[in-house]
Amino acid sequence: MAAPSASAISKLHPQPSADESTLAKLGYKQEFRREFTPLEVAGLAFSFVGVVPSIASVLFYAIPNGGPFAMVWGWAFACPFIMCTGLALAELASAAPTSGGLYYWTYSLASPRCRNFLSWIVGYSNTIEMITGVASVNWACTIQIVAAITIASSGQVYTATNLQLYFGFITSCPRGPRYQSFGKAAETIHVGECMAGVVEFIHDHCFKSSNSLCFIIIIALPIATPPDYRNTANFTLGDFTNLAGWPSGFAFILSLMAPLYTIGGYDASVHMSEEASNAAMAIPWAIVSSIAVSAVLGWGVNISLAFCMGTDIGSIFNSPIGQPMAQILFNSLGQQKALALWCLIIIAEYMVASNCLLVGSRQTFAFARDGALPFSRYLYRINHYTGTPVNTVWFEIICSLAIGLLSFVSTQAIDAVFTIAITASYIAYITPITNRFVFKNDFKPGPVYLGKLSFPVSVIAVVWMGFMILVFFFPATPQTTVQEMNYTVVVLGGFMFLAISWYYFPVYGGVHWYTGPISNYPSAIRGEDKDVDYISERKEHDADIYVSAVDV
């Protein structure tokens, strides 16, 4: 009998792709379909930023802490530090492109004495970053809708109650409880968690809408603005308006929250590593390119707004509309045109929320895959209809809705979701970057590597993030009340206290069973890939946790 041909053997036993082989060396089997091209990953990273809607969300940090000066020069000052952070993470992403990303890198680069604990802390910091990221965008979308109603209302006197605001927060979720009864049909309704063709459609339109809004603000707004609201270059670039009460230097530092939140979440593309082709190159370049493009376009948007906002900064900040950018557009464009443009911003914000939920669900899935989250056996499941982790989507939504209850405390309390998201992300970023140089490890650079610049860039990133974490714990004004205090330290501190308590809990705590990332790639298949000795393997896999949606 004739021996089978090489082509026949290849069809029966297909060879894993380079991405699958890289993932196997990291200890994981391929479970998602790699349907994102490098360009699509870059588009996802940029649309995750959402330049115009994100600036609209946090412009209230810059207006009282320097006015046009902080908007223009604060953005320019912060962007180099943001890029240093992105470059440091890009190197790690190129070396180990996995959805777990930050906590995986932390474990692999830390000392054996503390790697379990550090990995645990980073995993939970990254989780709260994603949850509050979804919550912050939902809240931004909510108050933007209220601003739209105010613009459309005669006399601009509309005031929403706390209950109305929370209801708006619920309805702003990309996939709310209203879809639950639709079963499988609901899984295709959610804009961020649908089938591959619809996902690409959404990302494409989100990318185009983000760019379009930027150019509308940069080009059309100055043309349409009446002369009374056009500022001179001296006022725009040199006038420092301090309405917050802090010393001017510290007020300027507080204004940096606007660019840091807008160009944040650099790890968004990292959590899509297992769905991207040529991930070792695509993910780091998505990080760097999204920061660069967002920095340039965002600066242009801020300059345009600063030139078109008029000289009465106090009236913009204390506007009855409730949103500084909305008031600027109203002054420049009039009611109807401002309302139309503002509605486009709201739609773009909703798309950003969808991307946040998409990315957050992947991070939660990865952390649950390693058994670290409560109910991991239920969270670590791939829906066979959509091929996506639907359970983790619901987990993100439920947790973000719980965070939204801060709206019943005060507006200042719920506004803390912006600083919580940034602070939690910085904790998650600092740890693996520091571990790479502090501990003795066998770090092997990937295709994207800075060489001799790697260490100084990482030092700049770590020092910058550490300093800004302390800054973000301060309240908006020196004189504050319980309702107006900065709830970042309360919410984030409380969450991390629970995470640490759960780790050291007697008998049942993570210290007794959490051993870092768990390989789900069978040793018999992995063969000679012995260079992954830093990955701990669970000898007995829980049948409820183990997922085999895709065979490698």
Side-chain angles (χ1 to χ4, degrees), residues 479-502:
Q479 295 79 29
T480 188
T481 63
V482 174
Q483 287 75 25
E484 297 178 350
M485 65 175 285
N486 188 339
Y487 278 76
T488 300
V489 67
V490 176
V491 178
L492 180 59
F495 183 88
M496 296 311 299
F497 174 79
L498 292 176
I500 295 173
S501 299
W502 172 231

Side-chain angles (χ1 to χ4, degrees), residues 60-61 64-65 244-247 249-257 412-413 415-420 423 465-490 492:
F60 66 90
Y61 280 100
N65 291 300
W246 290 107
F250 189 71
F252 178 78
I253 294 174
L254 287 176
S255 75
L256 300 180
M257 174 61 194
Q412 289 78 8
D415 282 345
V417 293
F418 299 108
T419 51
I420 294 170
T423 305
M465 288 187 287
F467 173 70
M468 292 311 299
I469 286 175
L470 298 177
V471 171
F472 289 153
F473 288 150
F474 281 81
T477 60
Q479 295 79 29
T480 188
T481 63
V482 174
Q483 287 75 25
E484 297 178 350
M485 65 175 285
N486 188 339
Y487 278 76
T488 300
V489 67
V490 176
L492 180 59

